[in-house]
Amino acid sequence: MERQRHPYNPARRHAKASKRRSNTAEELRIMIRSSPASPVKPQQWTVCRSCAAAASPPPVVAVARRTVASAPLRALTAESAETPPVPEPPALFDDDDEKTMLASYVPVYVMLPLEVVSTENELADAEGLRARLRRLRGAGVDGVMVDVWWGIVEGAGPALYEWRAYRELFRVVQAEGLKLQAIMSFHACGGNVGDAITIPIPRWVREVGEADPDVFYTSPSGARNQEYLTIGVDDKPLFHGRTAIQLYADFMRSFRENMADFLDSGLIVDIEVGLGPAGELRYPSYAETQGWVFPGIGQFQCYDKYLAAEFKAAAAEAGHPEWDLPRDAGEVNDTPEDTGFFAAEGGTYLTEQGRFFLTWYSSRLIEHGDRVLDEANRAFLGCPVKLAAKVSGIHWWYRHPSHAAELAAGYYNLGGRDGYRPIARVLARHDGAVLNFTCAEMRDSEQPAEALSSPERLVRQALSAGWREGAEVACENALSRYDRSGYNQMLLSARPNGAGAPPRRRVAAVTYLRLSDELLAGNNFRVFRTFVRKMHACLDYCPDPARYGRPMRPLERSAPEIPMERLLEATAPAPAFPFDAETDMSVGGGLAEAIDWVIDKIEWILG
């Protein structure tokens, strides 16, 4: 059954919300008291013999012509066979050594195009997609990630779910021997870096917003952001009798019911739960649709009437009814020193009122993520999947004392306060949900000096937070990259201390952003295949996650809610785990890139 109406039960599990709110003032007082006032290794090459025997990939095909720029995917009209494969080198290790290297295997997933399912709820260019998936599989890729758009599936009306196009897509992925990471995309597409198309949230939800614009996040100047519903309406039954939390929960239950065969077969390995704009757990503080340009600090997004009332109530309970939401945090493209709130010397963020606001702002975001993940856990309980949530890599102004851009997005992260460990602790309670972090490809040296940016330090901090709290971590690139330097940085982020024995830290998976003609073109694809091989610790594709330490088991019920005192413990700063200076499994450096340039020129000349 591919179209289904869910009944609404208004007495479902949200009675605890008011009780949770009643403790807000005391929890915030506790929080404030706890807040601060202010060289390449040798490589080894081997073959995963047993894995290779278990699954032989389809033949690899080459693109017939050179693509010089990113473009919408076009159907392949011709495929030319590659030259015969070079025979595999003899295995360098015995079975025990192979097991050691499997402990360093990191699966690679590739994000599918945003428009792979059209706004008309049709699978776009199925045959062209098959050809491209076949090439990915031939390169050893483990699987793909796809947005499952709320605005497409429930677009016909409340609780009317149309899954036909996504079932067709999943069958195509399954037929090509790939695994699948599915994103519950409760946000709109079209307002973020890299968004090439527009996919709004459901029309009937936007109609509610036309009558009551405060269901959307709101800036200090009153600008509304329609990318994601404000967390202020999580418990408000404004959407044809349902709350926002119930909208998300019903959608995920319908997904499970209609995709049960794909879940049971093991095709779907991860459910990444969208928790905010771009599917990330954050506020929409730096939306391009509202004029943001890198490296602007962004703006707080809590000025809708629902969140504003929550803050006033919390401040009154804390004994400060005179406190209001910040009005000195500047404009979206300001620098920290342009503002009174984020200024390094004497900024409002250092005052009691500033700390109270930031504690409330960040804790409301974490609470939202916790509650939606709890609903996801209920929806997929018993399925052989992992839950995941994405956290944004907001690396600009990381080296400024205020971390202004992070604070505006809801990450209360300062030199004396860890903003990521509380998030990781909450994720860990949901049967070890995965913390998926972005900007894994970026280097500090690539960033403009005036942005005071440090993506490398930020990645180290966020991944260390996950490992320290017992949550699995994964990573992905924030921007499409095809150069060896970017791939090498991703390899370092994925295995910060190299491959081999003794057992070392590694991420659960890497997702590459994204499948395109440019990725599949000529030298770009040759380098990408090497990248995949290196992520696999120079082993062949391994079809059984249990063999590389990630067995798929039925999802278990979330642990009890975490008391505020334990979340506060997680804000205590701790040093990041050490990362090597360079990856030990490089895809090549400057010389290799020079050779790539020559090959590209020759291919261009030859047409």
Side-chain angles (χ1 to χ4, degrees), residues 204-267:
W204 55 272
V205 176
R206 286 180 284 135
E207 287 173 350
V208 174
E210 290 171 3
D212 182 3
D214 286 280
V215 302
F216 298 118
Y217 282 119
T218 305
S219 74
S221 64
R224 314 289 187 175
N225 187 302
Q226 297 190 18
E227 186 180 353
Y228 190 83
L229 293 173
T230 171
I231 57 180
V233 297
D234 277 358
D235 292 313
K236 301 292 189 293
L238 303 172
F239 307 96
H240 297 262
R242 291 186 291 170
T243 68
I245 292 286
Q246 289 167 345
L247 297 180
Y248 309 142
D250 289 347
F251 182 91
M252 291 186 286
R253 280 196 295 272
S254 180
F255 180 92
R256 176 183 177 160
E257 292 166 7
N258 286 274
M259 302 297 182
D261 50 338
F262 297 120
L263 288 162
D264 294 342
S265 71
L267 169 69

Side-chain angles (χ1 to χ4, degrees), residues 484-496:
R484 294 175 187 267
S485 176
Y487 286 134
N488 285 337
Q489 189 63 28
M490 291 184 73
L491 283 158
L492 178 61
S493 298
R495 282 191 304 260

